[in-house]
Amino acid sequence: MRYTADEKRYNDMKYRKCGNSGLYLPVVSLGLWQNFGEETPLDIQKKKLFKAFDLGITHFDLANNYGRPADGSAEENLGRILKSDLNSYRDELIISTKAGYDMWPGPYGNGGSRKYIMASLDQSLKRMGLEYVDIFYHHRPDPDTPLEESMTALADIVKQGKALYVGISNYKAEEAEKAVKILNDLKVPCLINQIRYNMFERWAEEKLFEILENSGTGCMCYSPLAQGALTNRYINDVPSDSRAARTGTTIAERYLDEEKLLRVRELNKIAEERNQSMAQMALAWVLRRKEITSVLIGASRSEQIEDNVKTIQNLEFSEDEIVRIENILK
């Protein structure tokens, strides 16, 4: 049976204006980095996408290398679901993708060259069965390519009608400032910078947020839950069968030392006082900043999406809560 969206899907979700643009994004967006490749049955992927849209999540975020295998499998699966169920809702959706990391062999399958960026987007559009994406990002700065070349390619993509907006991802303060200026000079504003930001990783507070606000550039935050570390899952211990238990994984090396776990346990006490789960408070803490447009969540189950969206019921923090949280994070 073909999917029909919930008529009440816009009743509760909150939307924020993205920088100085006229585009509004849901404060909670869905990332298709994991659990949307060949490892996950298509019917489960559908359930998650449908649940997200029914809850007012209009933004689905991808990249050319998302999904497993990292050869466009997430884009291909989204393309199948768009064709079978979501095509009639295309104008209600914000679909973004990126190029910047390894995609195919040889010198033209990686980086920031015009050759790679243009070819990658053409491949992404073909995989998804789309004429254009709403947002196209350069996924990372490429020190081997002049920034002007990468940004000019982005601007030309908009002028060709293959993307409505363009953005940058993983750009630090100085790099972002230069990229935004180049795009402004080309009369194609930088819509957004997508960065890693959470309670444990706050480098963007030093200078980047100020640059984005002053330039009218939005901010999308990925890993707001520190890949699951800022949830209730690891408060007592790390399950032996979890991805986090495997030595060498990003979450194990970056987030799950005993010092951080102690902090999460203390933070969870504040979350309980707020009648929130640890994950909900961690998302709300990111969204407390006026510079941030949206947070990207991932999900292995549709129930996780529903739980994360409940964050919007309590986005405010008292001064006392902020002080207590800062003392824990220090």
Side-chain angles (χ1 to χ4, degrees), residues 201-217:
E201 293 174 291
R202 303 175 61 177
W203 59 269
E205 295 174 4
E206 294 177 10
K207 189 177 179 184
L208 180 65
F209 284 149
E210 181 181 355
I211 289 170
L212 297 180
E213 184 178 25
N214 290 342
S215 64
T217 305

Side-chain angles (χ1 to χ4, degrees), residues 268-299:
N268 188 56
K269 295 176 184 177
I270 301 175
E272 289 175 345
E273 293 172 12
R274 289 169 52 84
N275 295 315
Q276 287 184 314
S277 67
M278 181 63 231
Q280 289 166 353
M281 188 180 79
L283 293 174
W285 182 88
V286 173
L287 287 167
R288 84 198 189 284
R289 295 197 65 105
K290 63 183 184 300
E291 304 93 342
I292 292 168
T293 312
S294 180
V295 292
L296 270 175
I297 61 167

Side-chain angles (χ1 to χ4, degrees), residues 59 61-66 96-101 111-112 117 135-143 147 150-151 154 166-173 175-177 179-180 183 190-197 203 208 212 217-223 296:
H59 179 214
D61 179 76
L62 300 101
N64 55 3
N65 63 343
Y66 281 6
S96 62
T97 195
K98 315 176 192 72
Y101 290 101
I117 288 173
I135 307 170
F136 183 66
Y137 293 90
H138 188 216
H139 208 162
R140 66 179 180 94
D142 177 12
L147 189 58
S150 301
M151 295 304 106
L154 293 186
V166 288
I168 52 179
S169 182
N170 296 306
Y171 274 62
K172 300 291 179 67
E175 300 160 332
E177 191 169 33
V180 168
L183 285 168
C190 181
L191 176 76
I192 196 165
N193 187 10
Q194 186 175 132
I195 61 165
R196 185 192 298 269
Y197 179 68
W203 59 269
L208 180 65
L212 297 180
T217 305
C219 185
M220 174 74 63
C221 297
Y222 70 88
S223 288
L296 270 175

Side-chain angles (χ1 to χ4, degrees), residues 201 227 243-258 260:
E201 293 174 291
Q227 293 187 260
R243 179 167 55 95
R246 298 197 295 269
T247 302
T249 59
T250 303
I251 182 172
E253 293 186 347
R254 194 188 294 262
Y255 303 121
L256 291 182
D257 60 67
E258 188 55 35
K260 285 188 172 66

